[in-house]
């Protein structure tokens, strides 16, 4: 990246650009040769084409993923049983709001939603079983949020506390 | 009622939470007398829970050697409690407000103190949900319990 930028910069014509590319390719080939198998993750692309490596994942990313997964569970349950919309829609929206709020902490957009809940959306199943599944998922979610709140830096403790408390209220609402 | 401002430090945060618990205990007396049956029982239980938090805070602040705010003879209620509907509305409000004080204590606490603050925030939020359900308020949950508007 450092080596190729000055070469490519300022070249405007197609004709002039071509040597820049071949120089880049040369550098890339050379780098591959010299580094060889010793630095397996450092491919030519990583060395020359990327701005910055991805930052380490934030410790709260699993909580954001869990919030999206819980939202998807509720959405799936109310799709299967629209009579539950009044109860489940605000809960799904709360999880979505939690995921969005956590994403602002990470300083980058939230990663893609999970495809959908692996369990819980027992379409056509009875309502009591659906609510019991959701209640269990909320209880697990409450525990994971409370655990993260306990060890979080001061700047994150209030948000995590609200998320843990919200999940506890979901357990109550689903009774 | 107690109006909440951002606490300046751990002692202030817990002292604020104690003042909120005093006010909550006070408010549940007029709430209880306007309710009947299961709702009245729930009000008595809620009042006992706030008394327990209050007593634990008095002990905690005393042990820390700092100032322990005293209870007041009375607290201004945000609206008069004249019937069951206004009693339930006040119960929701008491729990929401008290939750906000405990939430504000979270950044100022660590370890066991933070876990106690989180347990208190959670209890208030869950009781607010129960009171909303009893009052027929929907939705019964809020996205961020204790967060200022």
């Amino acid at each position: 990246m450092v080596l190729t930028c000055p070469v490519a910069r300022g070249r405007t014509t197609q004709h002039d650009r071509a040597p820049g590319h071949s120089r880049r390719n040369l550098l890339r080939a050379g780098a591959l040769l010299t580094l060889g198998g010793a630095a397996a993750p450092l491919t030519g692309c990583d060395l020359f084409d990327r701005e910055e490596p991805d930052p380490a994942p934030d410790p709260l990313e699993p909580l954001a993923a869990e919030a999206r997964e819980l939202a998807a569970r509720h959405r799936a349950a109310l799709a299967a049983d629209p009579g539950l919309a009044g109860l489940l829609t605000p809960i799904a929206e709360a999880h979505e709001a939690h995921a969005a709020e956590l994403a602002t902490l990470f300083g980058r957009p939230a990663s893609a939603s999970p495809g959908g809940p692996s369990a819980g959306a027992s379409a056509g199943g009875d309502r009591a079983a659906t609510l019991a599944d959701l209640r269990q998922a909320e209880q697990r979610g409450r525990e994971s949020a409370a655990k993260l709140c306990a060890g979080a830096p001061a700047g994150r403790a209030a948000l995590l506390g609200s998320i843990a408390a919200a999940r506890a209220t979901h357990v109550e609402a689903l009774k | 009622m107690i109006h909440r401002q951002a606490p300046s430090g751990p002692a202030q945060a817990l002292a604020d939470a104690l003042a909120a618990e005093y006010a909550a205990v006070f408010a549940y007396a007029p709430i209880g007398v306007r309710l009947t049956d299961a709702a009245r029982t729930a009000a008595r239980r809620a009042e006992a829970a706030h008394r327990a938090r209050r007593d634990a805070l008095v002990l905690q602040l005393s042990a820390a050697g700092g100032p322990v705010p005293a209870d007041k003879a009375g607290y201004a209620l945000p609206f008069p409690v004249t019937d069951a509907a206004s009693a339930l509305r006040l119960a929701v409000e008491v729990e929401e407000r008290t939750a906000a004080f405990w939430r504000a204590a979270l950044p100022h606490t660590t370890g066991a103190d933070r876990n106690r603050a989180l347990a208190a925030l959670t209890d208030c939020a869950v009781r607010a949900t129960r009171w909303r359900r009893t009052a027929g308020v929907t939705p019964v949950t809020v996205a961020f319990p204790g967060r200022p508007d």
Side-chain angles (χ1 to χ4, degrees), chain B:
Chain B
M1 299 295 284
I2 306 295
H3 291 280
R4 201 180 61 78
Q5 292 178 322
S8 57
Q12 185 66 51
L14 294 178
D16 289 351
L18 175 56
E21 293 293 0
Y22 285 142
V25 170
F26 176 87
Y28 268 108
I31 290 169
V33 297
R34 297 290 177 184
L35 299 175
T36 54
D37 306 328
R40 175 173 281 192
T41 306
R44 294 285 172 247
R45 286 207 184 115
E47 183 178 344
H50 286 291
R51 282 184 195 280
R53 296 276 180 215
R54 175 200 66 185
D55 293 345
L57 271 172
V58 167
L59 280 177
Q60 187 179 351
L61 288 168
S62 306
V68 182
D71 200 356
K72 295 178 185 168
Y75 294 83
L77 300 179
F79 47 83
V81 180
T82 54
D83 53 13
S86 53
L88 291 174
R89 202 148 47 86
L90 181 60
V92 172
E93 184 144 344
V94 163
E95 298 299 347
E96 286 177 344
R97 290 195 188 201
T98 312
F101 284 92
W102 283 111
R103 184 187 193 266
L106 289 173
H108 295 287
T109 49
T110 55
D113 287 349
R114 182 179 288 174
N115 283 333
R116 268 195 292 274
L118 176 61
L121 161 61
T122 303
D123 287 350
C124 291
V126 168
R127 280 192 295 268
T129 287
R130 287 192 195 127
W131 286 128
R132 281 188 214 102
R133 182 163 51 203
T134 305
V137 173
T138 54
V140 296
T141 55
V142 297
F144 296 95
R147 186 162 86 170
D149 294 331

Side-chain angles (χ1 to χ4, degrees), chain A residues 24 36 60 72 76 125 166:
Chain A
R24 177 185 293 196
L60 297 185

Side-chain angles (χ1 to χ4, degrees), chain A residues 90-164:
Chain A
I91 298 179
E93 287 171 353
H95 289 302
E96 285 152 6
H98 296 166
E101 195 79 10
L102 288 166
T104 66
L105 289 182
F106 309 153
R108 56 183 149 161
S111 39
S113 283
S118 50
S122 48
D126 75 300
R127 185 174 280 188
T130 301
L131 294 179
D133 283 349
L134 291 172
R135 215 160 46 232
Q136 280 183 8
E138 292 284 356
Q139 183 58 38
R140 287 193 299 272
R142 172 204 175 163
E143 285 157 17
S144 57
K147 203 173 165 190
L148 286 165
C149 178
R156 294 178 162 199
L159 173 61
L160 293 174
S162 276
I163 293 175

Side-chain angles (χ1 to χ4, degrees), chain A residues 61-83:
Chain A
E61 292 213 17
L63 188 71
E66 187 178 53
R68 293 192 297 273
E69 196 260 335
L70 284 166
R73 274 178 183 269
H74 288 282
R75 295 279 179 205
L78 66 90
D81 185 352

